Amino acid sequence: MRNIVIMLVLLASLCAFAEASPQKLDLGVRLGANLMYVHTDSEEDIYPSNGGFGAALSFELAYGFTDNFYVHSGIGVDFRSFFVNESGDESAPGCVGECAHETFSENREYFLAWLLEMPVLLQWLFPGVLFVEAGAVFDVMVDSETQGNMGAIREEEDVSCDFNNSFGVSLVVGAGHKFDFGLSLDFRILYQVTDLVESENIGYFEDETLVPYGSYYRLLKFQLGVGYWF
């Protein structure tokens, strides 16, 4: 909750600063589609799969210090999804050797997360051609849902503990084009420099000592976005 309040205060401060010159303030909305990969030195997947999909919806603002240089920010919701379906045939109970009748089993595991995020980007505009931008994205996990034996479970334990970190920071670079009628298209590459989980708490026991699976769990994200500026 504290991290969410900090993000909202930062955004409000930026809006108040931009009001000093409203003719240079652009407002808009943006929808993004994400393709994600967990970057880690662990041989064990902490989530049901090492890759996932997601989406982002945000309110955007851009303040222009000059005709070319802007500070681009906003606030939005980011959705992350990691899932796997495992299915196969199983022999019927009591079957020995080859059996004529088999049963079909299916196992679905997933991890879903909803995060509040705020980008702080420096943008350079080449009018009529494209814009390039770089900066950081700050996110706070609001809620998550799991099914199955995901990576937040310590080996040899019967209970699941939530070892997901609630706050994250990603570095981002991107480029795009803004049309004269307000529509914009962009592509971003984001790399989360903070761990997704508490790596020291996820592992296996050896002589009653917990040995972590890995030392870092980062997120590489490719995002295609479409926006509209009023």
Side-chain angles (χ1 to χ4, degrees):
M1 185 64 184
R2 179 183 177 184
N3 292 328
I4 295 177
V5 172
I6 292 175
M7 292 174 64
L8 293 176
V9 170
L10 289 175
L11 182 63
S13 299
L14 182 60
C15 291
F17 174 76
E19 287 179 356
S21 184
Q23 70 274 14
K24 292 185 178 181
L25 178 65
D26 295 330
L27 302 176
V29 292
R30 179 178 179 273
L31 177 65
N34 305 326
L35 178 62
M36 305 174 294
Y37 298 93
V38 178
H39 179 216
T40 177
D41 59 351
S42 171
E43 296 182 358
E44 300 287 339
D45 289 336
I46 59 169
Y47 299 121
S49 63
N50 199 42
F53 301 91
L57 179 63
S58 58
F59 167 76
E60 305 279 300
L61 63 88
Y63 177 77
F65 289 89
T66 69
D67 291 337
N68 303 97
F69 178 63
Y70 284 76
V71 172
H72 182 189
S73 186
I75 193 164
V77 177
D78 182 54
F79 171 72
R80 298 177 184 176
S81 171
F82 297 88
F83 61 89
V84 64
N85 287 318
E86 297 180 350
S87 60
D89 293 330
E90 295 179 351
S91 298
C95 176
V96 178
E98 296 185 1
C99 298
H101 301 284
E102 294 181 336
T103 60
F104 182 79
S105 65
E106 183 172 354
N107 182 32
R108 178 178 176 84
E109 298 181 4
Y110 61 79
F111 172 76
L112 309 176
W114 293 264
L115 302 96
L116 186 67
E117 68 174 13
M118 186 182 77
V120 179
L121 309 175
L122 301 181
Q123 183 184 97
W124 187 265
L125 177 65
F126 298 91
V129 182
L130 59 79
F131 61 83
V132 293
E133 56 188 4
V137 174
F138 305 92
D139 62 65
V140 177
M141 185 176 294
V142 177
D143 193 18
S144 65
E145 181 180 342
T146 66
Q147 175 173 299
N149 185 28
M150 65 161 288
I153 300 179
R154 292 185 182 181
E155 190 174 288
E156 300 180 4
E157 289 190 1
D158 296 330
V159 295
S160 176
C161 300
D162 186 2
F163 294 117
N164 292 286
N165 286 321
S166 60
F167 179 73
V169 180
S170 300
L171 300 181
V172 54
V173 294
H177 177 76
K178 181 178 179 181
F179 297 91
D180 293 337
F181 56 89
L183 181 69
S184 67
L185 299 174
D186 65 82
F187 178 74
R188 294 177 181 176
I189 300 176
L190 302 93
Y191 185 76
Q192 184 165 322
V193 295
T194 56
D195 282 333
L196 292 168
V197 295
E198 302 171 12
S199 57
E200 67 278 4
N201 290 320
I202 301 176
Y204 63 94
F205 284 96
E206 186 175 283
D207 297 329
E208 299 184 355
T209 301
L210 180 67
V211 180
Y213 286 135
S215 60
Y216 63 89
Y217 295 89
R218 311 292 166 79
L219 187 68
L220 176 63
K221 182 190 298 183
F222 302 96
Q223 185 178 85
L224 183 64
V226 57
Y228 184 79
W229 296 87
F230 304 104

